[in-house]
Amino acid sequence: FDIALDNTQRLWVACSGEGIHFIDKKTKTAHVLHSNDALKMNSYEKSIRLDKKGNLWIGTSGSGLYKYNISNKQFTHFSTAETGNNSLTNNRITDVETDSLDRIWIATDGGGISYFDLTANKFLNLKSSKRKFKSLNSNAIYQIYFDLLIQKQLRSQ
């Protein structure tokens, strides 16, 4: 469903019902990312993205978001079950993207958009509201794209 290339030239591949695979260019071998905690990642419709620190972010179709620290091989799980600032609006992730400030943007099917600020270590959420004129028109978001103008605005804030 998605691919990402890290700074060591490993190709990460999100596979349908088969979890996350990576191909090591140096050894020309393929591996499967294993973890007891990450068994729920073996769901369909995954989105993966790498941040500037080398973490792999994995959006699943029902069990939320995972951050995989490639260097120490540790998973962090984020879901709607969390409280406070570490809460997603919906566990059905449809897309994960990073912006020029290295924030992680998460599109959800029914929960609008969440973004994770790595510096503040918290989620901020954007949802549709009939009371707010400039809110999202729907909470079902399937793709996130950034244009150059938005990237410049983000950097100047």
Side-chain angles (χ1 to χ4, degrees):
F1 283 99
D2 208 356
I3 60 172
L5 185 66
D6 70 19
N7 57 4
T8 65
Q9 300 299 302
R10 277 180 295 205
L11 182 66
W12 296 86
V13 182
C15 298
S16 170
E18 299 292 327
I20 307 297
H21 298 248
F22 64 95
I23 301 165
D24 191 327
K25 186 178 177 182
K26 294 173 188 170
T27 62
K28 297 182 180 173
T29 56
H31 308 274
V32 179
L33 188 57
H34 289 290
S35 169
N36 290 337
D37 180 46
L39 289 177
K40 292 180 183 175
M41 287 188 325
N42 297 337
S43 61
Y44 298 94
E45 302 171 25
K46 286 183 270 318
S47 179
I48 57 175
R49 206 58 73 231
L50 288 153
D51 65 23
K52 291 177 184 172
K53 294 180 180 174
N55 296 306
L56 181 69
W57 293 83
I58 305 161
T60 69
S61 65
S63 58
L65 180 72
Y66 289 86
K67 177 178 84 169
Y68 178 65
N69 183 313
I70 296 171
S71 59
N72 70 14
K73 299 181 174 147
Q74 295 294 311
F75 283 94
T76 305
H77 181 227
F78 302 96
S79 72
T80 57
E82 308 299 321
T83 57
N85 290 331
N86 283 332
S87 180
L88 287 170
T89 58
N90 192 299
N91 286 332
R92 188 168 168 78
I93 310 297
T94 54
D95 193 21
V96 178
E97 293 293 336
T98 57
D99 66 20
S100 59
L101 297 176
D102 210 26
R103 289 182 290 200
I104 311 303
W105 292 79
I106 303 107
T108 70
D109 186 3
I113 297 173
S114 294
Y115 67 88
F116 189 74
D117 188 331
L118 289 168
T119 344
N121 199 38
K122 69 177 182 177
F123 282 100
L124 297 169
N125 300 304
L126 306 169
K127 293 183 91 173
S128 174
S129 170
K130 291 181 182 179
R131 295 183 197 144
K132 293 183 183 176
F133 176 67
K134 292 186 178 183
S135 74
L136 297 173
N137 68 344
S138 170
N139 285 324
I141 309 296
Y142 298 104
Q143 209 69 50
I144 296 176
Y145 292 101
F146 295 101
D147 65 20
L148 293 175
L149 178 62
I150 290 174
Q151 292 292 334
K152 286 179 184 178
Q153 290 174 346
L154 288 171
R155 282 192 294 267
S156 66
Q157 291 180 353

